[in-house]
Amino acid sequence: MTEPSARAVVREGSPARDSERRANLLVLCGLALVVGVMTAFGAVALRGLIGFFHNALYNGTFSIWYDANISEGPSRFGDWVFLSPILGGLVVVFLVQRFAPEAKGHGVPEVMDAVFYKHGNIRGQVAIVKSLASALSIGSGAAVGREGPIIQIGSALGSAFSQAIGLATRQKITLLAAGAGAGIAATFNTPLGGVLFALEILLPEVSNRTFLPVVVATGAATTIGRILIGPDPAFVVPDIQLSLASSLGLQEAIAFVLLGIICGVASWAFIRLLVIMEDGFPKLPGNAYTQNICGMAIIGLMMVVMIRIFGHPYVDGVGYGVIQSVLDNKMASAGVLALLFVLKMLATTVSLGSGASGGIFSPSLYLGATLGGSFALAVGKFLPLAGLTVPSAAIVGMAAMVGAGTGGVMTAIVMVFEMTRDYAIIVPVIVAVAVAAGIRRALIGETIYTIKLRHRGHRIPKERHINLYLVKQAQDIMERRFILAKAGTSLKDTISLEQDTDDTRAIIVEREGRIVGLIPPRSGLWRESRSNPDLLVERFVESRAVICRDVDLLSLVFARLKRHRSGAAIVFRGVNRPRAGDIVGVITKRAIADTVIDSYDD
């Protein structure tokens, strides 16, 4: 019995994933209000937990009250404070490995992964584990921030709430982003910055149906935060008194462009060093616990040495005390500020690489403040008319480091304005952030958030388009019925197995298991088979076949189809070079059109 030269293939797919409940916009805004309130209370609780662990492990007291903006002196434990990050780190590793691996690291990449690759699903227990793990990491001395954790906590609350009531994927993603924006707003008292973070970093779609719920959530979180935490911004900023009444002068422009270039290079170095640490620590001998001990021992040693030299650890925790000291112009040594910049970058990357749980937002602010302050002290003598002061350059450096490192350019600019409430700083901030972001992107295309996902093969679109259908993967829309024909088969033999006569099936041609090419639907092949039935099927394949994985995002598939001007794409499952047996479907223009149409509401 000979093997047939062509066969019709049907692969039955799973039910549509978006068959869940869809709330109208008014109801969705009401749900976002609930998420915003929950996230605000979560932010307050996280602060209390950080204060509790810090006071217990650094000061030997039991209290939740802790002002991170005040620089403390030596620990009452003396050199034994060396053990604080080690002991805290061991508990963090246990919590993360046992209950929620997603809570490891700085959190935002996991949120982005949930948006683009997990249909907006984050487990509710992540909020609890992330709170405990991050509070313990920060309180025990790991050089990480509290903004990344509250972003992941707010996102987990929004996602878990959405899943509990059965919302559709796009609305889960909206409430997830609303929780993230609410976390930023409650932590920094920056409602506009929270909105822009959600829109610029997380949401694939910007429209009323996503924007309004995010605004409601951030507004609610800011209000609750101001009641429970206070109305003041995250940092007390003195009057900058920049000479920028109308436009930048030559020396001002040169100074802030130079600062932008330096911050862009520094952002690239931060990203690369973090990758080295996150890739390097897991390769060390032993397990996650011994690797964490190695990293936290480095942090503990740095704390002891800094206390002995300067009377303060300086590099531990969120670092707000150092930032506030720079803004208050209490650090007047360019060498010391440059040293703190280098040590903080090393401490943060070591902490995250060895398994700490915490964010990179606060460290980015710290790096920007110290780098900007040292720049002002070093360059002020050469550009006396630039009007540079340590506080003004520190603020510009903070915005440039955050904007370049995270890719949230507008977020950084607006948040700095909300924190300083000084419009005179906006022009130099815009200049420096734009230059820094351009330099970083020229050196490395990924941000500090997306580079971690790139190593998993999960690429995040750098440009946001107009609809949430771009969150779908190839397997979500592909057609599972196609004809698989061997090269050398005639048109008559190929089409005789297909019952349809309206040219609706794609034909994939293979030779000895290797893919030769694709013949899209409605190619005229059925008509040609009646007049020239003996022609070989491979004569009609497209010159360059478009091939994609079943988990590739539609944005990637669309780009390939446009680049090759192709009428369809072959979808395969696996990571190796695809063969005929790996093919699971075909993406046609008809399937794409149906997906786009279905993404619109009436």
Side-chain angles (χ1 to χ4, degrees):
M1 183 175 179
T2 60
E3 181 181 339
S5 57
R7 62 186 186 276
V9 180
V10 180
R11 303 281 169 84
E12 295 299 330
S14 58
R17 300 184 189 216
D18 275 348
S19 59
E20 307 98 334
R21 177 187 308 165
R22 296 192 180 190
N24 62 45
L25 184 57
L26 183 61
V27 172
L28 192 63
C29 288
L31 297 175
L33 177 64
V34 176
V35 171
V37 171
M38 290 192 302
T39 303
F41 282 107
V44 174
L46 180 64
R47 284 192 178 211
L49 281 172
I50 293 172
F52 175 80
F53 289 124
H54 173 80
N55 288 326
L57 296 171
Y58 191 83
N59 296 321
T61 59
F62 294 95
S63 171
I64 64 172
W65 305 112
Y66 165 54
D67 189 348
N69 288 41
I70 298 177
S71 296
E72 295 178 300
S75 168
R76 68 175 297 176
F77 297 116
D79 290 349
W80 289 106
V81 76
F82 166 80
L83 296 175
S84 174
I86 297 174
L87 296 175
L90 291 175
V91 180
V92 169
V93 173
F94 170 76
L95 290 173
V96 169
Q97 290 206 327
R98 177 67 177 82
F99 299 106
E102 308 97 306
K104 180 182 178 182
H106 49 105
V108 177
E110 305 301 330
V111 176
M112 299 176 76
D113 201 33
V115 170
F116 287 93
Y117 286 93
K118 296 180 180 177
H119 303 278
N121 294 323
I122 302 177
R123 296 185 298 160
Q125 70 192 64
V126 171
I128 298 174
V129 176
K130 188 69 175 181
S131 299
L132 291 171
S134 296
L136 191 52
S137 284
I138 298 168
S140 63
V144 291
R146 66 189 182 199
E147 295 72 33
I150 193 56
I151 290 170
Q152 192 171 12
I153 291 166
S155 300
L157 290 172
S159 176
F161 185 43
S162 304
Q163 293 175 65
I165 60 179
L167 288 182
T169 294
R170 68 173 180 82
Q171 294 188 331
K172 277 189 293 185
I173 290 173
T174 299
L175 290 188
L176 177 155
I184 284 284
T187 300
F188 281 113
N189 192 12
T190 54
L192 291 178
V195 171
L196 283 174
F197 180 87
L199 298 180
E200 195 172 18
I201 303 296
L202 296 179
L203 282 172
E205 173 191 343
V206 179
S207 65
N208 281 340
R209 67 185 186 183
T210 58
F211 178 76
L212 293 179
V214 170
V215 169
V216 170
T218 54
T222 304
T223 302
I224 299 296
R226 287 176 177 175
I227 293 172
L228 298 178
I229 300 173
D232 296 325
F235 304 107
V236 179
V237 180
D239 293 333
I240 304 302
Q241 296 179 343
L242 287 172
S243 56
L244 298 173
S246 57
S247 62
L248 283 174
L250 178 61
Q251 289 196 16
E252 290 98 332
I254 293 173
F256 290 116
V257 167
L258 285 175
L259 181 54
I261 293 172
I262 293 172
C263 288
V265 175
S267 298
W268 165 79
F270 190 24
I271 294 170
R272 294 303 307 166
L273 188 58
L274 181 59
V275 171
I276 291 171
M277 295 298 180
E278 288 184 332
D279 290 346
F281 270 95
K283 296 177 182 178
L284 294 177
N287 55 26
Y289 291 95
T290 57
Q291 293 158 5
N292 184 262
I293 289 173
C294 292
M296 292 300 102
I298 295 173
I299 304 302
L301 181 61
M302 292 174 70
M303 291 172 62
V304 170
V305 171
M306 295 298 285
I307 289 173
R308 283 185 170 272
I309 296 176
F310 297 105
H312 188 277
Y314 279 141
V315 296
D316 65 320
V318 295
Y320 285 0
V322 172
I323 296 173
Q324 189 62 62
S325 295
V326 175
L327 295 177
D328 291 338
N329 211 5
K330 294 180 179 178
M331 291 188 171
S333 170
V336 171
L337 289 174
L339 175 64
L340 293 181
F341 168 83
V342 173
L343 293 180
K344 185 66 172 183
M345 182 180 292
L346 179 62
T348 298
T349 53
V350 167
S351 297
L352 291 172
S354 61
S357 177
I360 52 87
F361 209 99
S362 289
S364 295
L365 292 174
Y366 183 113
L367 295 175
T370 52
L371 186 60
S374 62
F375 175 83
L377 291 169
V379 176
K381 298 177 182 179
F382 303 99
L383 298 172
L385 300 181
L388 276 181
T389 64
V390 170
S392 65
I395 292 170
V396 174
M398 289 161 65
M401 281 296 297
V402 170
T406 67
V409 173
M410 288 301 300
T411 301
I413 293 171
V414 171
M415 284 187 67
V416 164
F417 172 64
E418 287 187 291
M419 286 191 289
T420 62
R421 299 175 185 176
D422 186 349
Y423 193 74
I425 200 71
I426 286 296
V427 175
V429 163
I430 290 174
V431 171
V433 171
V435 172
I439 294 294
R440 190 274 303 161
R441 191 160 184 172
L443 295 174
I444 183 170
E446 303 293 336
T447 70
I448 204 163
Y449 293 149
T450 62
I451 195 164
K452 185 176 181 179
L453 298 179
R454 188 188 70 175
H455 289 179
R456 301 179 192 172
H458 288 186
R459 293 188 175 271
I460 304 299
K462 293 183 176 62
E463 313 298 340
R464 299 296 188 264
H465 295 271
I466 60 171
N467 257 286
L468 277 170
Y469 63 77
L470 292 173
V471 179
K472 291 182 179 292
Q473 300 169 358
Q475 62 186 343
D476 294 326
I477 75 162
M478 67 184 183
E479 296 183 2
R480 291 168 169 81
R481 294 176 59 89
F482 54 88
I483 300 175
L484 189 61
K486 289 185 177 294
T489 306
S490 67
L491 298 185
K492 177 181 64 177
D493 292 337
T494 300
I495 296 176
S496 64
L497 294 177
E498 180 59 32
Q499 296 179 355
D500 293 339
T501 59
D502 58 351
D503 211 2
T504 59
R505 298 287 175 234
I507 300 175
I508 300 171
V509 182
E510 57 95 10
R511 179 184 290 115
E512 297 179 352
R514 292 183 295 106
I515 299 171
V516 174
L518 171 77
I519 304 174
R522 295 182 173 84
S523 59
L525 196 65
W526 266 250
R527 184 174 59 255
E528 187 70 26
S529 68
R530 289 193 290 269
S531 57
N532 296 291
D534 295 325
L535 290 178
L536 299 183
V537 68
E538 61 264 34
R539 291 185 55 181
F540 297 87
V541 299
E542 291 187 341
S543 58
R544 296 187 65 181
V546 174
I547 301 176
C548 63
R549 296 184 303 159
D550 56 343
V551 295
D552 282 342
L553 294 177
L554 291 192
S555 56
L556 177 62
V557 179
F558 290 179
R560 289 179 179 174
L561 288 172
K562 180 179 179 181
R563 184 164 60 249
H564 297 300
R565 299 184 181 277
S566 179
I570 301 170
V571 184
F572 73 97
R573 179 171 292 129
V575 295
N576 298 318
R577 185 172 182 175
R579 296 182 64 83
D582 300 324
I583 299 172
V584 292
V586 177
I587 291 181
T588 64
K589 290 183 177 179
R590 179 178 61 184
I592 294 171
D594 289 343
T595 303
V596 174
I597 293 170
D598 290 341
S599 70
Y600 283 89
D601 287 336
D602 294 332

